[in-house]
Amino acid sequence: MAQWDTSRYTSLFISEATEHLEALSKELVRLEQGEVTAEAIDSLFRHAHSVKGMAGSMGFEATTALGHKLEDLLDRVRTTPTRFDRGVADLVLQACDALTAHVKAVAAGQPFPDAAPLMAQLVAATQSMRPGTTPLPFKENAAPPLVETTPAPESNLPPRWLISLKVSASSAQPGVRGFLAYKRLGSLGNLFRCAPSLDEVKAGKLQGGLFAVELETTETEANIQKTVSQVADVTLVSIEKVVAPPPVPAAEEARPESSPGDRVVGQEPQRTVRVKTELLDEFLDLAGELLLATAGVREAGRTLHEDARSQLNVSVDRLHGLVRGLHDKVMEARMTPVSVITDRLPRAARDIARRRGREIELIVAGSEVELDRAIVDELNDPVLHLLRNAIDHGVEPPEERRMRGKPPRGTVKVSVRRASDRVLLEVEDDGRGMDTERLKTIAVERGLITAEQAKDLPERDALLLSAAPGLSTATTVTDISGRGVGMDAVKRAVEQVGGTLEIISKRGVGTTFRLSLPLTVAMVNLLLVSVGDDVYGLPIGKVAGVVETTRATLAHSQDLPVLQFGQAVVPARELSALLGVPARLHDVNAACPFVVVETDEGRVALAVDALLGQEEVVLKALRRPLDKVRGLSGVTVLGNGRPVFILDVARIDAPAPHARAAGGDA
Amino acid sequence: MSKRVLVVDDSVFMRDIIKDIFAAGGFSVVGEAGNGVEAVEKYKELKPDLVTMDLVMPYRNGIDATREILRGDGKALVVMCSALGQETMVMEAIEAGAVDFIVKPPRAEDVLAVVKKVLGEG
């Protein structure tokens, strides 16, 4: 089967098969939660069927065989829905995972994992569901069937056939041959779904000469075969009855909430093309470079005579406007719905809950909200982590919940919404809540804060202790606090994309993790400052203000210099000392700018040598080994070509031995 | 009884080649036509089992002629003769009701394979 070159279809196969498998597992989980319709089961079947078909076209026999067994089982489920229980659902999900592993193997160019035992299980389950047999003794079969009595879909539509055809390689005009076969079949009834599309068939763009159509007809199978046999150069590869005749994806129609990936019936589908995400990254990079280059032209113009310069500047302004427009469009193209993350959650929630013996209802809302793809990518793991935490540690076991007068089934709600120029993503549970006193105690024990500090620590800061590195990585603490494994990683990831993490928790009532995220990451407004011979950028968003004063007039508190800022007093630090770079000799009586910034530990005034101005720049992520340097969050290039490090202001005041070492090299 | 064929092409040379192919294949060529108008007339007169129809011809092209023939006899079997590069026209002819097509220059085995399939003998 694989004698022709299918390699150029590989990436399409991977992406489409993955989409089908994700949809399958997502829909199955939804079906388990009780929203059962015949269409939903049909939809599961169709996903399996599509994957099988694609794998067959690619010549992946092992994948095809596995897909076929899954398809058989789902076909049986369709006819005997009362036999559909958790055991079957588990098996379907296992098959789904195994198929996903196959797809991944294709992507990685590795051999297919062995699925023989699973296939045997699928066959056994399929057979056991034959009408009149007793169900397999699945584990946990005590659970009532998830589907009540849903009769097999009655329909008075004629049966539908999936017909695969092959146009002979020796055919002089394969496109016309394929089209002829298509028309001939069309004379027997109604045709649906030609794959590849009819236009591609007509153009002769057939991989290995293969294409497939669905035909709804009252004709017999023999007559269909005869019709195909009357077309020269076209052979019938396979013909099989398709289960459901619905021309519209009714399962999706029936869903109360639909993500943008779901096609809403009656709505004009948007015209889209698939673009490699790397290409979008490159576009953004190039658009960013263009912005920089524009700034470079403006910079170069400064040496010109004033008349010439103002003329140049008019053009540069126009250019800048255009490039800005281009950049905005690229950013827009990168916007990705959060459903990319949330679509995986129901399945994950189900698995975690089952493993931990919890009863969970997962509610997902607002998955259509869009964010920059880079942010969505970064948030995948953190959100999954928050979900795991909520189920693992937040929601109590059913017995405990009953004792506390709560419904045995816990609710975890993941909601996403726009709030002006931010996106709020919340993971909320109705579990046991967090114990701030214990968090404080442990934080003091570990030397993260003093007992003094602990006493006055506001509630929200105390809750954030659960995301402090020293606390969260300790597993012993996890068990006590009920939170923590990798919470610091979550916080870091959120801040990395320019977001903030907030925790709201009430003992016995539940916990909400709120991520406040920017829509895009790439542009940042910087306040440029010089220290010694170097220029650094401070994100304007983190700058509270600038005060110019002399070092000699600074007040002191506990022997440390402090600066009066508004009504408050903030600690004053030398930025050079924090970064570990040599400072200029300074006269304590000379005026010095202090930039007041917001750090994790509160406001801090940073003494710098000079303020150089404000600039909107394109942020580039630091690559190895610079990403390991504490105190730096990114790098950019100014119009004059000079690289500027952007300071990780939130953590700048924390002890940073690495920054000191690396700062010396910078 | 051998099947009766009407060969339509504006080129005598091409008609001869096709006639020879049919003769060798045991078909009986009962008539010829050099343009679309003639083709329609001959069809009505001869009621052949099969027509081979050139696409591009004077007076009336093969697609129009096919349409006209089928209007008079919905069961008429018309096979188009096309050259490479005429794919779009062939598809138009198929839309108009042509049952199959052969590609010029015609090769005996291809032509016979196609017409036999069309006549249900293949």
Side-chain angles (χ1 to χ4, degrees):
Chain A
M1 207 84 184
Q3 23 182 303
W4 47 80
D5 181 23
T6 54
S7 59
R8 66 198 190 92
Y9 299 97
T10 306
S11 64
L12 198 58
F13 167 78
I14 293 167
S15 66
E16 276 197 31
T18 306
E19 274 171 27
H20 278 293
L21 291 168
E22 279 175 2
L24 204 170
S25 85
K26 182 176 140 195
E27 287 171 22
L28 184 97
V29 171
R30 188 175 302 165
L31 196 137
E32 263 199 328
Q33 286 163 354
E35 298 173 44
V36 177
T37 56
E39 287 85 355
I41 300 175
D42 285 340
S43 180
L44 297 185
F45 176 88
R46 283 199 299 273
H47 288 305
H49 180 75
S50 301
V51 173
K52 184 197 78 170
M54 281 188 282
S57 303
M58 293 293 290
F60 302 146
E61 283 166 22
T63 317
T64 313
L66 179 57
H68 192 87
K69 295 285 179 275
L70 174 59
E71 191 188 61
D72 284 348
L73 176 61
L74 289 170
D75 188 26
R76 192 56 60 80
V77 168
R78 197 187 64 82
T79 51
T80 46
T82 45
R83 296 285 183 77
F84 183 59
D85 56 20
R86 281 196 180 175
V88 175
D90 278 349
L91 202 51
V92 172
L93 286 176
Q94 274 178 42
C96 210
D97 288 347
L99 284 168
T100 306
H102 274 221
V103 175
K104 283 190 175 146
V106 170
Q110 285 164 354
F112 294 120
D114 176 34
L118 179 60
M119 278 168 65
Q121 271 179 288
L122 288 167
V123 172
T126 307
Q127 284 171 353
S128 78
M129 288 170 74
R130 203 179 299 144
T133 55
T134 44
L136 270 190
F138 279 120
K139 291 171 290 190
E140 298 167 81
N141 211 11
L146 293 159
V147 184
E148 297 306 323
T149 42
T150 313
E154 286 291 329
S155 107
N156 32 24
L157 286 170
R160 200 187 266 217
W161 302 85
L162 176 69
I163 300 161
S164 298
L165 302 166
K166 183 172 189 297
V167 179
S168 155
S170 61
S171 172
Q173 294 177 335
V176 189
R177 281 270 151 238
F179 178 66
L180 183 61
Y182 180 90
K183 292 304 285 187
R184 285 284 190 83
L185 286 172
S187 69
L188 300 179
N190 294 319
L191 288 170
F192 297 92
R193 290 210 289 199
C194 185
S197 71
L198 183 58
D199 282 342
E200 281 173 286
V201 171
K202 284 161 92 173
K205 289 181 187 159
L206 301 176
Q207 131 202 12
L210 291 168
F211 74 103
V213 290
E214 280 185 19
L215 170 67
E216 203 174 270
T217 181
T218 49
E219 296 285 339
T220 61
E221 185 172 346
N223 267 350
I224 300 172
Q225 283 174 344
K226 190 173 156 219
T227 303
V228 175
S229 75
Q230 284 174 355
V231 183
D233 281 354
V234 175
T235 47
L236 185 69
V237 176
S238 69
I239 174 166
E240 53 190 296
K241 227 177 218 175
V242 180
V243 181
V248 283
E252 280 158 49
E253 185 187 30
R255 286 181 202 159
E257 21 101 38
S258 68
S259 60
D262 302 334
R263 190 157 299 156
V264 179
V265 176
Q267 184 185 309
E268 188 93 358
Q270 285 188 322
R271 290 172 67 92
T272 55
V273 288
R274 277 167 195 269
V275 179
K276 277 196 183 136
T277 50
E278 292 83 9
L279 193 62
L280 285 178
D281 287 347
E282 282 165 26
F283 277 147
L284 183 64
D285 258 5
L286 287 171
E289 296 289 343
L290 268 175
L291 275 176
L292 296 178
T294 309
V297 174
R298 193 192 298 277
E299 186 77 24
R302 291 199 181 157
T303 56
L304 294 176
H305 184 268
E306 193 169 334
D307 287 354
R309 189 171 68 213
S310 66
Q311 232 176 337
L312 177 77
N313 278 348
V314 171
S315 297
V316 171
D317 284 344
R318 167 126 180 87
L319 181 62
H320 186 260
L322 290 171
V323 173
R324 211 37 237 260
L326 174 69
H327 190 268
D328 287 350
K329 286 289 164 203
V330 174
M331 292 309 291
E332 205 179 302
R334 291 168 55 88
M335 295 306 270
T336 308
V338 184
S339 57
V340 173
I341 300 175
T342 54
D343 280 1
R344 293 160 203 259
L345 297 181
R347 170 72 194 277
R350 175 191 190 276
D351 290 352
I352 300 162
R354 289 204 71 186
R355 233 182 3 251
R356 303 285 301 189
R358 303 285 199 276
E359 296 273 339
I360 293 293
E361 180 175 13
L362 178 72
I363 300 169
V364 177
S367 48
E368 73 284 354
V369 175
E370 293 186 329
L371 279 169
D372 188 286
R373 196 185 64 77
I375 299 180
V376 171
D377 283 355
E378 287 301 318
L379 287 182
N380 204 10
D381 288 346
V383 172
L384 196 62
H385 191 87
L386 291 175
L387 176 75
R388 192 178 303 130
N389 260 353
I391 301 172
D392 258 8
H393 306 301
V395 174
E396 312 89 334
E399 322 80 66
E400 187 181 333
R401 290 180 64 90
R402 256 186 224 106
M403 268 163 42
R404 292 179 189 278
K406 290 180 175 180
R409 177 184 258 208
T411 303
V412 176
K413 187 173 175 191
V414 178
S415 59
V416 189
R417 62 179 193 275
R418 272 288 285 273
S420 71
D421 65 337
R422 310 283 287 180
V423 167
L424 297 182
L425 189 158
E426 292 183 349
V427 178
E428 182 184 350
D429 67 60
D430 66 346
R432 53 171 75 100
M434 286 164 72
D435 186 344
T436 45
E437 287 312 311
R438 296 200 94 135
L439 275 172
K440 283 193 218 171
T441 311
I442 293 154
V444 172
E445 275 171 17
R446 309 223 160 210
L448 292 172
I449 51 171
T450 64
E452 195 96 329
Q453 286 171 315
K455 218 171 70 190
D456 300 332
L457 202 62
E459 174 86 359
R460 61 183 285 259
D461 294 340
L463 287 165
L464 276 174
L465 283 173
S466 63
L471 250 179
S472 65
T473 50
T475 48
T476 48
V477 180
T478 305
D479 292 330
I480 301 164
S481 68
R483 300 281 170 186
V485 178
M487 271 307 295
D488 64 325
V490 172
K491 184 161 183 277
R492 181 175 291 270
V494 169
E495 287 175 355
Q496 199 72 50
V497 298
T500 55
L501 171 71
E502 193 185 342
I503 306 173
I504 304 120
S505 186
K506 198 158 185 226
R507 287 285 285 160
V509 178
T511 304
T512 301
F513 289 89
R514 179 181 294 155
L515 316 188
S516 168
L517 305 160
L519 292 170
T520 60
V521 270
M523 296 299 290
V524 57
N525 253 313
L526 291 182
L527 175 65
L528 297 176
V529 301
S530 73
V531 174
D533 293 331
D534 297 313
V535 177
Y536 294 93
L538 299 167
I540 292 277
K542 292 279 186 186
V543 175
V546 177
V547 175
E548 203 165 52
T549 185
T550 62
R551 289 180 173 83
T553 55
L554 290 177
H556 283 77
S557 164
Q558 295 176 341
D559 276 350
L560 289 168
V562 290
L563 177 78
Q564 184 77 33
F565 184 74
Q567 302 297 311
V569 170
V570 298
R573 302 268 185 274
E574 294 290 336
L575 183 56
S576 57
L578 289 172
L579 294 170
V581 297
R584 278 202 189 136
L585 287 177
H586 39 67
D587 177 356
V588 292
N589 290 312
C592 163
F594 284 85
V595 183
V596 181
V597 296
E598 315 269 3
T599 76
D600 279 358
E601 319 294 322
R603 285 180 172 174
V604 173
L606 303 170
V608 300
D609 292 345
L611 301 177
L612 300 178
Q614 191 180 327
E615 193 150 350
E616 189 177 38
V617 300
V618 182
L619 186 64
K620 286 171 181 284
L622 290 169
R623 290 175 213 272
R624 282 177 174 280
L626 284 173
D627 61 338
K628 300 287 171 220
V629 178
R630 205 176 165 131
L632 301 183
S633 67
V635 68
T636 189
V637 183
L638 297 184
N640 59 13
R642 180 175 188 150
V644 169
F645 286 111
I646 297 160
L647 300 180
D648 184 7
V649 167
R651 270 176 283 276
I652 200 157
D653 200 27
H658 304 297
R660 203 152 287 142
D665 305 331
Chain B
M1 198 179 119
S2 60
K3 296 283 183 183
R4 303 164 67 249
V5 182
L6 169 66
V7 176
V8 183
D9 203 302
D10 62 338
S11 153
V12 179
F13 163 78
M14 196 56 73
R15 289 208 298 267
D16 282 351
I17 293 180
I18 296 171
K19 273 156 62 186
D20 289 347
I21 291 173
F22 278 126
F27 291 84
S28 132
V29 176
V30 293
E32 303 175 36
N35 63 57
V37 176
E38 217 183 317
V40 176
E41 283 168 8
K42 290 266 181 185
Y43 185 87
K44 283 180 185 160
E45 178 195 326
L46 300 168
K47 296 278 180 210
D49 297 311
L50 185 111
V51 184
T52 69
M53 179 77 73
D54 189 19
L55 273 170
V56 184
M57 292 181 297
Y59 306 125
R60 180 173 236 171
N61 70 35
I63 298 170
D64 286 348
T66 302
R67 218 171 263 135
E68 187 62 32
I69 288 172
L70 280 158
R71 199 170 294 147
D73 176 4
K75 295 200 163 129
L77 298 177
V78 182
V79 173
M80 305 309 292
C81 290
S82 72
L84 284 172
Q86 293 181 326
E87 284 85 347
T88 315
M89 289 174 75
V90 185
M91 288 191 246
E92 203 186 319
I94 290 168
E95 293 279 14
V99 288
D100 212 318
F101 67 100
I102 50 184
V103 182
K104 291 195 273 194
R107 284 186 7 212
E109 63 264 40
D110 292 348
V111 173
L112 295 176
V114 166
V115 298
K116 280 179 180 164
K117 286 249 181 192
V118 168
L119 291 166
E121 298 172 357

